[in-house]
Amino acid sequence: MPPTTPYAGKFSPSPYNNNDNLHKYHQPMEASYGDMCYHDNSLVSGSLEALIQHLVPTVDYYPDIRIRDVAPKIVQLLTEWTETFPYDFRDERMMRCLKEMSHHLARGDEYSWRAMQQMTQRLIRRLAALGQYEEAIATLNASAAERPAALKTKQHNGQRSDVLSISDDAFILAQQLTHIELDRLSFIGPEEFIQAFGVKDPLDNHKSFFRKRKTTNLEAYVAWFNRLSYLVATEICMPVKKKHRARALEFFIDVARECFNIGNFNSLMAIITGMNMSPVSRLKKTWSKVNTDKFDILEHQMDPSSNFSNYRTALRGATQRSITAHSNQEKIVIPFFSLLIKDIYFLNEGCASRLSNGHVNFEKLWDLAKQVSEFLVWRQVTCPFERDRKILQYLVTTPVFTEDELHLASYESEGPENHMEKDSRRSLRCVT
């Protein structure tokens, strides 16, 4: 029989949730059983061979159990798998295995077979929704790629709508941005975070069902952040009159503040990024007409110094509010996504998946699971705000300037101040 440990909590699904309390009230306990090591009743490392031996029946260890006895546990395991990692089952081989398992359960336990059928139906609906979402994103991206010529034409004819003509209510616009954020977050699979970093460990080099890596939805969300930043810059640089540019600046400062209050840190950072782009920041005459006190406060909250310590404090506050929330609005936590990816990346790259003795590093895996599990909670929140389809359509489809077009629009709004800017304008006019 495979070696076992006397500790009941050896495979706790979330040991990291209790580590703080354990350290407070107990002295650390370390023990080794065969090739598996435990710390305070939690598995921290072990060789892959020992884990397989411990979990998989062999000729010498094969419990005399009936399918009826284990069926509920199998259903529970597969339900958690399909709900947490549904994208694994886009592979036809995985779906075939799932159907075969349903067939086996049908012979031993009718109740479990019915539960499997319901689980499979939910999975199919989830995968169908994912396919529709990816098709919609592809259509939007293709449409955006064809926009630049239309944008120039509208600019020349003075016919282009601006965001203030669609909505002049900063709170409403922040609500619609939150809709977009939560919609796109909800389709990011947790496995995409790890897959985004590529194969780095020999542990991942074997052939498997999961060798094909796909990060489409994660990349689409990052692209949305960039689009929003360029949209903000476009809306500010587009107006011919200084007072209109100043009004656009003030409006987006108010939108950013509302995003902060909602807990939508990703849109907040995208807006700040757009306002700090050089074509916008150089508009000194425009900025002189704006009271920047509110903007300075927001910049302070998202200050990158000390590893974004101010933002991390605000994020912890929003997370705590979400935990004790009495409404869906209070549950909203939308992290600054690029920083979240960076944190997971450095955790993944900074710690080896295997220790020097060949053991699987479970402490690293628990930490990764904690980060991703928190994200899963945030993405499941239902946006409580009423949808405004006109505003949503504008935000995701209206044409935006490229970087070169932004610089040219900026120079046309407020002329070059030095020879370098004059040369830049001259070259941009030749190109665009």
Side-chain angles (χ1 to χ4, degrees), residues 78-367:
L78 292 175
T79 298
E80 184 167 347
W81 187 355
T82 56
E83 290 180 353
T84 306
F85 302 101
Y87 304 166
D88 285 349
F89 296 87
R90 301 184 83 173
D91 190 302
E92 292 180 2
R93 294 167 296 175
M94 291 295 295
M95 286 298 291
R96 188 162 55 248
C97 289
L98 193 62
K99 291 176 182 178
E100 290 174 359
M101 182 62 68
S102 297
H103 178 71
H104 288 305
L105 291 177
R107 294 182 299 181
D109 183 69
E110 182 177 355
Y111 175 82
S112 295
W113 176 78
R114 289 179 179 176
M116 286 286 290
Q117 292 296 103
Q118 294 172 357
M119 178 197 70
T120 303
Q121 291 172 5
R122 290 194 301 270
L123 175 62
I124 291 173
R125 287 196 296 269
R126 175 64 177 174
L127 295 179
L130 172 64
Q132 293 171 358
Y133 166 76
E134 291 182 346
E135 288 179 7
I137 292 297
T139 301
L140 286 174
N141 290 342
S143 176
E146 299 172 357
R147 287 297 204 172
L151 175 56
K152 293 179 187 178
T153 302
K154 288 186 178 182
Q155 179 192 18
H156 179 73
N157 295 334
Q159 297 174 351
R160 183 187 187 276
S161 299
D162 61 24
V163 69
L164 285 165
S165 68
I166 304 299
S167 174
D168 61 357
D169 188 320
F171 184 48
I172 296 296
L173 192 72
Q175 290 177 339
Q176 302 313 304
L177 288 172
T178 303
H179 265 297
I180 296 172
E181 299 281 356
L182 288 174
D183 284 347
R184 300 198 175 201
L185 271 182
S186 68
F187 285 100
I188 298 176
E191 68 282 357
E192 291 190 51
F193 289 102
I194 305 304
Q195 291 179 355
F197 308 139
V199 177
K200 292 292 184 181
D201 192 277
L203 197 63
D204 300 321
N205 278 337
H206 64 288
K207 292 183 178 180
S208 71
F209 285 125
F210 314 110
R211 65 181 180 271
K212 184 178 180 181
R213 299 175 180 275
K214 192 170 184 180
T215 58
T216 305
N217 304 306
L218 187 150
E219 292 169 9
Y221 191 55
V222 173
W224 155 249
F225 178 95
N226 295 333
R227 172 183 167 76
L228 180 54
S229 296
Y230 274 83
L231 174 62
V232 169
T234 299
E235 294 287 341
I236 294 170
C237 291
M238 177 72 75
V240 176
K241 294 184 178 181
K242 179 170 56 180
K243 65 178 182 180
H244 293 158
R245 294 194 299 274
R247 186 184 176 204
L249 271 172
E250 291 171 341
F251 178 67
F252 278 112
I253 291 172
D254 289 337
V255 173
R257 183 180 60 178
E258 295 297 347
C259 287
F260 178 83
N261 293 335
I262 289 172
N264 181 356
F265 297 105
N266 201 56
S267 289
L268 164 63
M269 193 62 180
I271 293 171
I272 291 176
T273 300
M275 298 176 77
N276 279 326
M277 292 177 70
S278 58
V280 177
S281 62
R282 66 168 298 276
L283 299 175
K284 296 179 182 178
K285 294 178 182 178
T286 304
W287 280 98
S288 68
K289 299 295 182 181
V290 177
N291 184 338
T292 61
D293 290 345
K294 291 183 288 186
F295 182 65
D296 293 339
I297 293 172
L298 293 171
E299 277 201 309
H300 177 71
Q301 289 291 342
M302 304 304 288
D303 185 355
S305 63
S306 301
N307 195 20
F308 287 89
S309 61
N310 293 336
Y311 158 71
R312 294 183 190 279
T313 299
L315 181 65
R316 284 194 296 271
T319 302
Q320 186 60 39
R321 180 188 66 183
S322 177
I323 294 171
T324 60
H326 300 290
S327 67
N328 276 340
Q329 182 171 341
E330 293 177 330
K331 291 180 181 178
I332 296 173
V333 181
I334 303 173
F336 173 29
F337 196 66
S338 294
L339 186 60
L340 175 64
I341 293 175
K342 179 182 175 183
D343 288 343
I344 295 176
Y345 173 81
F346 280 112
L347 177 59
N348 186 57
E349 295 296 307
C351 300
S353 295
R354 286 198 180 190
L355 303 178
S356 57
N357 60 3
H359 284 193
V360 177
N361 185 357
F362 268 81
E363 286 188 299
K364 169 189 173 176
L365 300 181
W366 292 134
D367 287 340

Side-chain angles (χ1 to χ4, degrees), residues 11 36 43 46-56 360 362:
F11 285 115
M36 293 191 294
L43 179 66
S47 69
L48 192 58
E49 294 75 15
L51 292 169
I52 293 173
Q53 183 184 10
H54 187 81
L55 296 173
V56 178
V360 177
F362 268 81

